[in-house]
């Protein structure tokens, strides 16, 4: 997965929206896709900001999550493992 676009770009986009441009027009000025412009505009209208979404898998949902207690106990017995 690629990194989110910089927050400076998002701030410029938000200024264009506040100046009255549509999401598509602001995206065209910044050379973004129209879909990104529409998505960011919607996010600005609902939350007031265009922050990047959280990326990655949620913590504690991996294959070893059911065995965390066992590993903690094992490490507590011998911390030099």
């Amino acid at each position: 997965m690629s990194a989110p676009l910089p927050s400076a770009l998002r701030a410029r986009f938000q200024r264009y929206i506040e100046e009255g441009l549509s999401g598509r027009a602001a995206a065209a000025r910044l050379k973004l896709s129209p879909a990104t412009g529409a998505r960011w505009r919607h996010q600005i209208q609902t939350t007031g900001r265009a922050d990047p979404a959280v990326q990655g898998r949620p913590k504690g949902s991996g294959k070893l999550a059911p065995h965390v207690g066992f590993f903690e106990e094992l490490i507590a017995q011998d911390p030099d493992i």
Side-chain angles (χ1 to χ4, degrees):
M1 181 178 278
S2 63
L5 292 170
S7 50
L9 182 66
R10 293 169 184 270
R12 287 177 51 202
F13 181 85
Q14 186 167 354
R15 273 186 301 207
Y16 286 145
I17 296 297
E18 290 168 355
E19 290 174 3
L21 265 65
S22 67
R24 183 181 286 266
R29 282 197 182 183
L30 297 172
K31 297 184 179 176
L32 298 169
S33 73
T36 299
R39 198 170 48 247
W40 286 6
R41 183 188 59 77
H42 177 71
Q43 188 177 12
I44 289 170
Q45 285 180 338
T46 57
T47 65
R49 298 180 53 111
D51 293 328
V54 177
Q55 292 186 344
R57 186 180 296 172
K59 299 290 183 199
S61 64
K63 292 179 184 177
L64 297 177
H67 309 287
V68 169
F70 170 74
F71 291 127
E72 289 173 348
E73 182 180 328
L74 195 64
I75 292 170
Q77 291 174 4
D78 186 13
D80 291 334
I81 291 180

